[in-house]
Amino acid sequence: MAKKFSDLVAATMSPEAILLAGKATKAMREEMVLNELRKARGLSQQALALALNVEQPAITTLERRTDMYISTLRSHIEAMGGALEITAKFPNGDVTIKSFEHPDAVIS
């Protein structure tokens, strides 16, 4: 009979190890390069290229870049169903930068 993964983890890992593994998993989900994010969202390069109206090799090139326009990154994230937010991190708190919001955004 097959065993549940959670039962195997509970039998072989200490509560501290389970907690550390959970924290590591959360950290990995919060920090990804673009190709990992696309894969985690269940999208192929071809599907993303279709959504962005570009050829598939353009997605490969974009995912390998270390420098790009914010508008390019925003389009890529939006095509995956997300929204781009830019946050500056300081010792006394974080600040969301509004200068780079989508040009169609309504400002109230």
Side-chain angles (χ1 to χ4, degrees):
M1 175 174 205
K3 294 183 179 181
K4 289 184 178 180
F5 181 73
S6 58
D7 292 341
L8 291 172
V9 168
T12 59
M13 294 178 70
S14 69
E16 295 82 13
I18 293 170
L19 183 63
L20 286 174
K23 286 181 181 180
T25 300
K26 184 176 186 265
M28 284 188 256
R29 286 184 177 153
E30 291 175 352
E31 295 182 5
M32 294 184 192
V33 293
L34 282 176
N35 71 321
E36 291 172 349
L37 178 58
R38 175 185 47 76
K39 290 174 186 176
R41 303 281 304 156
L43 294 169
S44 66
Q45 286 186 337
Q46 188 63 43
L48 190 56
L50 185 62
L52 289 168
N53 198 28
V54 298
E55 298 293 323
Q56 179 273 325
I59 300 301
T60 301
T61 301
L62 184 112
E63 289 180 346
R64 290 181 179 161
R65 294 188 69 177
T66 57
D67 190 18
M68 69 182 73
Y69 287 114
I70 292 169
S71 58
T72 302
L73 180 58
R74 180 188 308 113
S75 297
H76 198 84
I77 298 298
E78 288 176 354
M80 288 190 272
L84 180 65
E85 293 180 358
I86 298 179
T87 303
K89 305 232 178 230
F90 297 97
N92 61 339
D94 300 344
V95 177
T96 299
I97 307 298
K98 298 289 188 179
S99 304
F100 304 113
E101 285 188 347
H102 197 286
D104 297 334
V106 177
I107 300 174
S108 52

